[in-house]
Amino acid sequence: MAVRLVEALEGRGWLRLLRRPVIGLFYLTVLAVGIGTPLFTLSPPEGGIELDRAMFRPLETLDRPADVPEAAVSLPHSFRVPGAGRFGGGLYRLEFDHSPDDPEQWSVLIPNYSGRILVRVNGALLYDSDWTHSGQIVTLIWPDIIAIPAPLLKAGTNSVEISAVMLFGRQSYLSVIHAGPDSLLRPVYQQHHFLLVILPQLLFRWQFAFSVMLLIVWAVRRSEWSYILYAGILFFNSISNLVVVLPEPLASPLVMQLTNLSFSWVTAMLVPFAFSFVNRRPPRASVLFAAFPVGVTSAFLLLPPGIVHVLNWYVAVPVAWGLSCWALGVLSYAAFRRGSNSAHMVLGATLLSLLMILHEAPILYGSVGKRLFINPFSIPIFMLLSVISTILMWRFAAALNAVDQFNANLRREIADAEAALRISLAREQAQERAIALEAERSRLTRDLHDGIAGQLVSMVALSRRTDAQVGDFGTAARRALVDLRLVIASMAEVGDDPGMMLANFRDHIQPQLRTLGIALDWQMHALPEGAGWSSSTALELFRLLQEATMNAARHSGADRVTIEIRPTDDGIRVVVADKGRGGAADRPGGYGLANMRRRARTIGARLDIVSGPDGTNIILDLPRPTASQ
């Protein structure tokens, strides 16, 4: 909410001055909540006997106390374990009074403790925490309630002996003890059990599931290294709470102690994650951070426990704190120098977590005081991880929203571009139609000029001659009519199939040649298979052949025109030949040969004109017909 508020403020220029007061108020709120954390405690049982004084003796073994006098201690109480891998424990003896007239079931409530405990009432062993869970995790705090069988209770003073053992770590902790009716103590136990056992189990599952989800997110957005690094942090942090879900037969001391080393893997990823979280490139030597957890784990597996203990506290812990401070420095720079709202949120959550841990750690590690209701590390760390997770998922959702907006804009731009293209295509089609119409107009002009116009000129000349005969006028009129029919025939649809187009051409040209007294020798071989010509290509070829044939009929003086169509390696060859006078050449003002060359270029064909005393051959080599031609 604070991030959204700050972003809203940044979006309005006149409110930017309020950004610093808002951020300052945010940190003041965090400090107030963190300092006031000790006020959030669970209420004690509303009945029973509170046992806050005990007689204490160290233990030499699990069943044998040290031969030293008992000392009075106040509960809660912590004592120092001699060292990693060494036995350390203490025996607490407490007493309470019981009335024989009380018919209710009595129990002993231990709201929270660390390590392993054995509980005896009036000398009878009633409970060993190893029966239900392992005490190998340093920071694991448990509650327990032990029902006392009625025959064990005595009228008057009853004794409770609690053997507390810590096999790994530095301090063992035991809270205030309560004895009384089970109906009064069990609700308090259930509250503690939820907060100290059930909730960490839920947190473990949440962290593991969220790490898998972030891994999937990273697989989609591999450029975002913060997702995969944070998935690793969640995974290894969940490993530290493995004991809360691991079956007891698998919770061996070695496995549990190895889970305690997961802190080294978490801290090794903090610095690269901090850089990527604030959109900065991590240091090139980030891969060397992996040497830290590898070294810690190798030392634990290979070196004696005493040396491992010294290395952990004097090497591993300072290195972990150094890496953590480096990561916090990166976040602080991004927050206060670059104005990163996300970094402010993480720093605030970190500050609150540290304050909560500072309230818990002194109690856990030797000082006396009133315990809070939280696990000293699980709840604060989970709170911090939740804030970071929320920010990362918010970023991912924002990225998806940006992608959706980009797609919407892209679709809108594509639609606009398609509309513009349609308009442009319609304009180009109109231009093409205009060009085609102009070409047709030019062709008709040439045909009328070369054909009908010549015949009409001839008729005019005949009309001026005094010796002209009526038959001469009829002959000239028939020739003009033939040319007019040729012009009309050239306007017919020719289709796009090569065979059909050529057959159509033969059907049109043969009667016209016959009218002129010219025979047609048609030689057509089987054509190669193809998709056909486009309509424009077929029309150009039709009219090119028509022009070549009619030129031969008009100007060669031959009585036969040969048209041969045969396949070649590259396509089709069409030859229009005559045995006339030859002499075909471009003439000033003539359009025939130039027009044929233009049509040949249009359809991508090669045109050769060979003309001599033995006649004229017009050779047209066409490429193989395809669907795109």
Side-chain angles (χ1 to χ4, degrees):
M1 182 62 70
V3 171
R4 298 184 66 180
L5 178 59
V6 172
E7 289 176 349
L9 294 177
E10 288 181 339
R12 302 175 182 268
W14 63 275
L15 289 177
R16 290 181 181 177
L17 295 177
L18 296 179
R19 185 176 185 274
R20 289 186 179 180
V22 169
I23 293 176
L25 181 61
F26 167 69
Y27 281 106
L28 287 177
T29 304
V30 169
L31 285 173
V33 174
I35 295 173
T37 301
L39 300 176
F40 299 96
T41 58
L42 291 176
S43 301
E46 296 182 356
I49 303 171
E50 181 178 272
L51 307 177
D52 58 356
R53 301 286 296 177
M55 303 304 294
F56 174 78
R57 279 196 297 173
L59 288 172
E60 292 184 353
T61 65
L62 187 62
D63 298 319
R64 188 178 68 188
D67 189 14
V68 296
E70 290 184 325
V73 296
S74 298
L75 299 181
H77 180 259
S78 295
F79 63 89
R80 186 180 181 86
V81 177
R86 299 174 57 187
F87 179 83
L91 176 64
Y92 297 88
R93 184 170 59 83
L94 309 96
E95 294 181 345
F96 67 91
D97 291 331
H98 176 259
S99 172
D101 298 331
D102 190 348
E104 290 192 53
Q105 169 74 50
W106 271 50
S107 298
V108 173
L109 170 65
I110 308 175
N112 35 64
Y113 65 91
S114 62
R116 175 187 178 187
I117 62 169
L118 292 82
V119 181
R120 293 179 173 86
V121 175
N122 293 328
L125 179 63
L126 299 183
Y127 180 72
D128 184 345
S129 62
D130 267 3
W131 297 345
T132 57
H133 64 269
S134 171
Q136 299 298 321
I137 297 297
V138 177
T139 60
L140 194 61
I141 305 296
W142 293 88
D144 267 320
I145 187 169
I146 300 97
I148 305 175
L152 280 181
L153 289 173
K154 300 184 299 184
T157 302
N158 293 264
S159 67
V160 178
E161 292 183 345
I162 299 176
S163 299
V165 179
M166 193 70 171
L167 296 180
F168 188 81
R170 297 181 65 85
Q171 298 286 342
S172 179
Y173 173 82
L174 183 66
S175 68
V176 174
I177 310 299
H178 297 269
D182 187 84
S183 60
L184 298 177
L185 303 183
R186 191 158 295 274
V188 177
Y189 163 75
Q190 290 173 347
Q191 293 175 348
H192 283 76
H193 187 264
F194 173 77
L195 292 170
L196 300 178
V197 179
I198 301 300
L199 188 57
Q201 291 178 351
L202 295 176
L203 301 185
F204 168 83
R205 292 176 173 85
W206 173 87
Q207 291 180 71
F208 187 79
F210 206 82
S211 67
V212 174
M213 184 175 67
L214 287 177
L215 182 62
I216 296 173
V217 171
W218 175 78
V220 177
R221 296 178 57 84
R222 295 195 177 183
S223 60
E224 298 286 346
W225 283 97
S226 57
Y227 291 106
I228 184 64
L229 290 170
Y230 192 63
I233 290 174
L234 288 178
F235 173 77
F236 284 108
N237 191 69
S238 65
I239 292 299
S240 65
N241 293 319
L242 187 63
V243 67
V244 299
V245 294
L246 200 64
E248 185 61 28
L250 300 179
S252 65
L254 178 61
V255 172
M256 295 301 99
Q257 291 169 12
L258 282 173
T259 62
N260 289 330
L261 302 179
S262 62
F263 80 94
S264 60
W265 295 93
V266 172
T267 52
M269 288 186 252
L270 288 179
V271 174
F273 170 73
F275 275 94
S276 59
F277 183 79
V278 298
N279 299 320
R280 293 177 59 189
R281 179 175 296 179
R284 294 184 178 180
S286 294
V287 68
L288 298 179
F289 293 152
F292 173 55
V294 171
V296 170
T297 306
S298 301
F300 172 79
L301 295 175
L302 301 176
L303 299 179
I307 298 178
V308 172
H309 178 76
V310 172
L311 291 176
N312 275 341
W313 285 103
Y314 295 101
V315 178
V317 171
V319 170
W321 275 107
L323 293 176
S324 301
C325 292
W326 188 356
L328 288 176
V330 173
L331 293 173
S332 300
Y333 180 84
F336 295 102
R337 295 297 297 273
R338 295 190 173 184
S340 172
N341 299 321
S342 299
H344 277 301
M345 294 300 297
V346 175
L347 286 176
T350 303
L351 178 60
L352 181 57
S353 301
L354 289 175
L355 290 173
M356 296 172 72
I357 292 174
L358 288 176
H359 286 302
E360 293 286 308
I363 301 171
L364 180 64
Y365 290 108
S367 302
V368 296
K370 189 175 183 181
R371 270 213 62 79
L372 308 183
F373 65 89
I374 64 171
N375 186 302
F377 295 106
S378 296
I379 304 300
I381 296 301
F382 169 71
M383 180 186 63
L384 174 61
L385 297 179
S386 298
V387 170
I388 300 175
S389 302
T390 303
I391 294 174
L392 288 179
M393 294 312 298
W394 179 272
R395 286 182 178 178
F396 184 66
L400 292 180
N401 185 50
V403 170
D404 291 340
Q405 291 180 353
F406 174 78
N407 288 336
N409 294 334
L410 185 60
R411 286 193 294 269
R412 184 165 56 253
E413 291 176 1
I414 290 175
D416 295 341
E418 287 179 347
L421 285 175
R422 290 192 190 98
I423 296 173
S424 177
L425 180 61
R427 187 182 299 112
E428 290 180 359
Q429 289 175 342
Q431 292 175 352
E432 288 179 356
R433 285 194 295 269
I435 292 172
L437 182 61
E438 179 63 27
E440 282 297 298
R441 185 180 293 111
S442 299
R443 184 188 66 80
L444 290 175
T445 300
R446 290 192 300 271
D447 289 345
L448 292 174
H449 174 272
D450 295 342
I452 298 177
Q455 299 299 330
L456 292 176
V457 169
S458 177
M459 293 173 67
V460 171
L462 285 173
S463 67
R464 294 176 179 176
R465 291 174 54 184
T466 57
D467 58 344
Q469 302 294 322
V470 176
D472 294 336
F473 282 99
T475 301
R478 283 192 296 272
R479 290 177 179 176
L481 182 60
V482 169
D483 285 342
L484 180 60
R485 287 174 177 171
L486 287 175
V487 171
I488 294 173
S490 69
M491 299 172 64
E493 178 64 35
V494 299
D496 58 358
D497 180 74
M500 293 298 296
M501 187 277 295
L502 293 171
N504 188 20
F505 171 74
R506 179 182 179 182
D507 291 341
H508 278 77
I509 205 67
Q510 192 168 23
Q512 297 170 5
L513 292 176
R514 188 182 301 116
T515 303
L516 296 174
I518 299 174
L520 174 64
D521 184 6
W522 183 267
Q523 301 175 15
M524 182 172 176
H525 303 272
L527 298 180
E529 295 183 0
W533 287 305
S534 66
S535 297
S536 60
T537 300
L539 183 61
E540 291 289 344
L541 177 61
F542 184 94
R543 289 173 179 166
L544 191 154
L545 293 178
Q546 185 181 53
E547 192 156 3
T549 305
M550 294 312 298
N551 282 343
R554 290 169 179 165
H555 307 298
S556 68
D559 59 358
R560 177 180 295 273
V561 175
T562 301
I563 298 178
E564 181 183 9
I565 302 108
R566 65 173 183 269
T568 63
D569 294 337
D570 299 328
I572 298 173
R573 169 169 287 187
V574 180
V575 179
V576 180
D578 63 72
K579 299 296 184 180
R581 65 177 64 96
D586 293 308
R587 297 188 303 274
Y591 296 97
L593 298 183
N595 192 40
M596 284 192 291
R597 290 192 177 93
R598 182 190 63 79
R599 293 187 189 277
R601 287 195 301 270
T602 301
I603 61 177
R606 188 180 71 231
L607 181 67
D608 293 325
I609 301 175
V610 180
S611 184
D614 296 333
T616 300
N617 289 340
I618 297 176
I619 305 169
L620 182 68
D621 288 312
L622 296 110
R624 188 178 300 275
T626 61
S628 60
Q629 279 187 303

